[in-house]
Amino acid sequence: MSVRILGLVGSLRSGSHNRQLAEAAVKHAPEGVDVALYDGLADVPFYNEDIDVEGLVPEAARRLREAAAAADAFLLFSPEYNGTIPAVLKNAIDWLSRPYGAGALVGKPVAVVGTALGQYGGVWAQDETRKAVGIAGGTVLEDVKLSIPNSAGRFAEVHPADDAEVGDLLVGVLDKVAAAAAPSAV
């Protein structure tokens, strides 16, 4: 049985380097690891407890929760927006944190990676994302990190999926996430 990793990308831009990095993760997934990218984050309304009640949960939020519930682990791709986590990714974490104590993230391994324009590759945003995921109940894999700096220069001529070094780094990340998820995937 394959380990199912759900990828959430914190950028909605069509040419996003983080989206491309996520596509590279799909391409380089080792045998026994299935990486699926969730494409509906733009449709999920901002979290509001008033609509998070039976019969009122928006369809887009329900679909996100279903996809997350079916996953064994998560790989979050976070760009850095003004030094912190993008709203779309934070919103997904908020929806997946509920119901409190029993959300789809609870007890599942989560790794956060990404790329950004700056010289540190978005580490501030990734740290904030890890913090939010941990509070939401996910099992943050603190030792699984990948921050690729200078995304505009690094990926100007080559897609991350075709960058051999990036491919190798992603395989290492996916191996660690899969190992952390393996007991729950049985």
Side-chain angles (χ1 to χ4, degrees):
M1 177 178 195
S2 289
V3 173
R4 299 163 305 199
I5 299 173
L6 183 63
L8 302 177
V9 181
S11 175
L12 302 177
R13 187 173 64 83
S14 62
S16 162
H17 293 124
N18 278 281
R19 175 64 188 201
Q20 292 174 0
L21 188 63
E23 292 166 354
V26 171
K27 177 181 177 181
H28 292 286
E31 187 173 334
V33 177
D34 176 38
V35 179
L37 303 182
Y38 190 79
D39 287 323
L41 290 185
D43 301 325
V44 179
F46 282 113
Y47 184 80
N48 178 344
E49 201 168 359
D50 291 341
I51 60 173
D52 190 10
V53 294
E54 192 173 330
L56 292 179
V57 175
E59 181 65 18
R62 188 191 60 72
R63 283 193 310 270
L64 172 62
R65 284 177 171 169
E66 284 179 356
D72 299 312
F74 300 89
L75 184 55
L76 279 51
F77 298 84
S78 185
E80 193 165 87
Y81 289 5
N82 298 313
T84 193
I85 182 175
V88 69
L89 191 53
K90 176 62 169 67
N91 188 50
I93 293 167
D94 290 344
W95 277 103
L96 296 176
S97 73
R98 304 293 185 185
Y100 181 76
L105 291 169
V106 172
K108 292 183 181 179
V110 183
V112 181
V113 300
T115 185
L117 295 171
Q119 65 181 338
Y120 302 112
V123 294
W124 289 350
Q126 293 170 32
D127 287 345
E128 291 295 318
T129 303
R130 285 183 195 92
K131 175 183 169 186
V133 165
I135 291 169
T139 302
V140 178
L141 302 176
E142 293 288 350
D143 63 332
V144 182
K145 297 181 179 179
L146 175 59
S147 302
I148 302 172
N150 186 27
S151 61
R154 173 110 190 215
F155 302 124
E157 302 292 327
V158 64
H159 190 287
D162 300 323
D163 182 313
E165 180 186 15
V166 170
D168 289 345
L169 291 169
L170 284 169
V171 168
V173 165
L174 293 168
D175 281 341
K176 290 176 182 176
V177 174
S184 64
V186 178

